[in-house]
Amino acid sequence: MQYDKAITAQVIIYAELLAPVGGIETFIYNLCCALHKEYDITVIYKNGDDKQVERLQGVVMTLQLGNELEASCDLLIMNSLFDKPPVQITAKKTLQLIHSCKLRDFYVIPEGRDEYIAVSQTAKDSYDDEIAAAAGVLHNIGNNKKPRKLLKLLSATRLTEEKGADRIKALAKALNDEHIPFIWLVFTANAFNGTPKGIVVMQPDLEIKPYIAAADYLVQLSDNESYCYSIVEAFSLGTPVITTPISVADEIGVEDGVNGYVVPFDMQGIDVKKIYEQIPTGFTYKSEDKEILKRWRQIIGKPTHKPTYKPAEKLHVEATQDYLDNALGKVVVAGERHYMSIPRANKLLSMGLVKLIEN
């Protein structure tokens, strides 16, 4: 990197490393956000995550350290205990922050700084030297900027071509391209290669209504559907939908802009900002269940005898060793307890994987 002239600033914040995630990185960003309109601040780093650097550059001058850099400041803020002040930076005063507790013997507060401040009393008290004893305490600054709304999407579908796997990726890309924060739970038994940012693949679940009710949209991007249970369930819970123009859409009550949005099959020209900012609410849905049940009773006829089946009693068992339980979809560890049907419990008992717990 070439510099046209020597850098001068009232405050220089130095970090040898700007990691993708970290408390020091959060502190630097929050402090810059809070003070950049009052003070001339420059952040200098040696190695940095591109996203962290880009975020800081949106607030203050942020430069990568190089041999050709010349910088001077009134106050140099050092963050990591392991960083040394670069020879390229001249400061009237150097402040060392103590961001970490003394976790290992090699965690040593460096000498030679003009002032020391620990970010908590806990951090200060974890060191037993004279420097720490004389250090001040100042908690890290927060960021009171109101966060953007998180868009919550949900799908329960096979990830196949006809069910719109590629369209899911296309919509996720459109949302990411517009920097819209979202989380999209996709309940599926299929692998999802190249999962886009924002999508979380979930194991199939027979009871997803709580997730649908909490979502901003139920998303169904199929080539076609004969009925589409998921859309009907969403409407019954007051959740709008994002769907392709499947043939049954009109029949089950989809109204573009009223109880959701209809997006084209080619996924071109989708107004994702409108989807994000104008979520349909307050729409009405009239369930057909009473009429449907009435019709089924007519089809079956009058009951001829009382039902005799009762759900099977469950047994309480405890794992005697670690084993992979396909029904639960996880590794059950020794000592873990579960209730299960008698046939399934008997099978595991015969294999010696569980023992019966007397209630």
Side-chain angles (χ1 to χ4, degrees):
M1 179 182 293
Q2 298 296 320
Y3 304 93
D4 295 333
K5 59 181 180 179
I7 303 300
T8 58
Q10 184 173 356
V11 179
I12 289 180
I13 302 173
Y14 179 72
E16 184 169 312
L17 173 66
L18 292 174
V21 178
I24 287 177
E25 290 75 13
T26 301
F27 161 76
I28 293 174
Y29 178 72
N30 286 353
L31 187 67
C32 290
C33 286
L35 298 180
H36 75 281
K37 292 183 179 180
E38 301 174 57
Y39 297 94
D40 178 20
I41 301 173
T42 295
V43 173
I44 297 178
Y45 67 96
K46 186 174 182 180
N47 298 293
D49 174 73
D50 290 342
K51 291 182 179 179
Q52 290 281 9
V53 172
E54 182 180 3
R55 182 171 73 156
L56 282 167
Q57 287 175 336
V59 183
V60 297
M61 181 180 290
T62 305
L63 303 172
Q64 187 170 22
L65 183 68
N67 292 330
E68 67 277 18
L69 171 69
E70 293 182 14
S72 61
C73 60
D74 294 334
L75 176 65
L76 171 62
I77 301 176
M78 300 293 296
N79 287 277
S80 172
L81 300 180
F82 306 107
D83 292 353
K84 296 180 180 180
V87 295
Q88 299 96 320
I89 301 175
T90 302
K92 295 178 181 178
K93 178 181 178 180
T94 300
L95 166 64
Q96 177 67 58
L97 295 177
I98 304 170
H99 279 284
S100 58
C101 292
K102 188 177 179 67
L103 302 177
R104 301 287 188 275
D105 289 340
F106 60 82
Y107 279 58
V108 178
I109 301 174
E111 298 179 351
R113 312 294 194 252
D114 298 300
E115 186 177 358
Y116 297 84
I117 295 178
V119 299
S120 68
Q121 190 67 43
T122 299
K124 171 177 171 147
D125 292 346
S126 68
Y127 296 85
D128 56 2
D129 54 50
E130 293 181 359
I131 295 178
V137 173
L138 182 62
H139 287 171
N140 282 335
I141 188 168
N143 190 329
N144 59 9
K145 180 181 178 181
K146 186 177 180 180
R148 300 177 68 194
K149 170 184 166 57
L150 177 69
L151 185 66
K152 301 182 291 294
L153 307 176
L154 180 136
S155 295
T157 184
R158 297 190 301 276
L159 290 175
T160 56
E161 182 179 357
E162 71 275 9
K163 289 294 184 179
D166 289 339
R167 295 187 187 104
I168 290 176
K169 291 182 179 180
L171 181 55
K173 182 179 185 303
L175 292 167
N176 283 320
D177 287 348
E178 291 295 334
H179 305 289
I180 293 174
F182 72 95
I183 184 167
W184 188 344
L185 302 184
V186 178
F187 288 86
T188 184
N190 303 108
F192 198 9
N193 297 324
T195 306
K197 173 188 172 184
I199 289 182
V200 179
V201 176
M202 304 285 287
Q203 291 294 319
D205 194 323
L206 297 181
E207 184 49 75
I208 63 169
K209 283 189 175 181
Y211 298 92
I212 297 176
D216 292 315
Y217 292 97
L218 181 288
V219 185
Q220 188 69 49
L221 303 176
S222 304
D223 289 349
N224 213 346
E225 294 285 345
S226 62
Y227 180 68
C228 202
Y229 251 122
S230 58
I231 288 180
V232 174
E233 287 184 339
F235 286 163
S236 72
L237 295 169
T239 299
V241 303
I242 300 172
T243 181
T244 42
I246 52 178
S247 301
V248 78
D250 289 341
E251 186 176 343
I252 59 178
V254 175
E255 296 182 68
D256 188 30
V258 176
N259 53 17
Y261 293 105
V262 178
V263 297
F265 286 118
D266 64 8
M267 303 302 287
Q268 298 299 308
I270 299 174
D271 190 346
V272 290
K273 288 186 177 180
K274 184 177 181 180
I275 288 174
Y276 177 59
E277 296 170 356
Q278 300 178 34
I279 300 174
T281 59
F283 59 87
T284 58
Y285 172 74
K286 184 179 182 300
S287 172
E288 297 180 306
D289 286 350
K290 287 185 178 180
E291 292 78 7
I292 293 171
L293 280 175
K294 181 179 179 180
R295 179 68 180 122
W296 270 110
R297 291 187 177 102
Q298 292 173 347
I299 293 171
I300 298 172
K302 293 183 178 180
T304 57
H305 57 273
K306 291 184 177 181
T308 58
Y309 174 77
K310 294 182 180 180
E313 178 186 356
K314 291 184 179 293
L315 295 181
H316 196 194
V317 299
E318 178 181 307
T320 57
Q321 57 185 284
D322 296 354
Y323 73 94
L324 176 61
D325 193 305
N326 292 326
L328 295 176
K330 69 168 194 171
V331 173
V332 174
V333 299
E336 196 171 328
R337 295 185 176 188
H338 291 278
Y339 284 94
M340 57 183 62
S341 66
I342 292 176
R344 185 159 167 264
N346 285 336
K347 180 179 179 181
L348 296 178
L349 285 165
S350 68
M351 298 170 66
L353 298 177
V354 300
K355 65 180 180 180
L356 192 62
I357 301 298
E358 299 294 339
N359 292 324

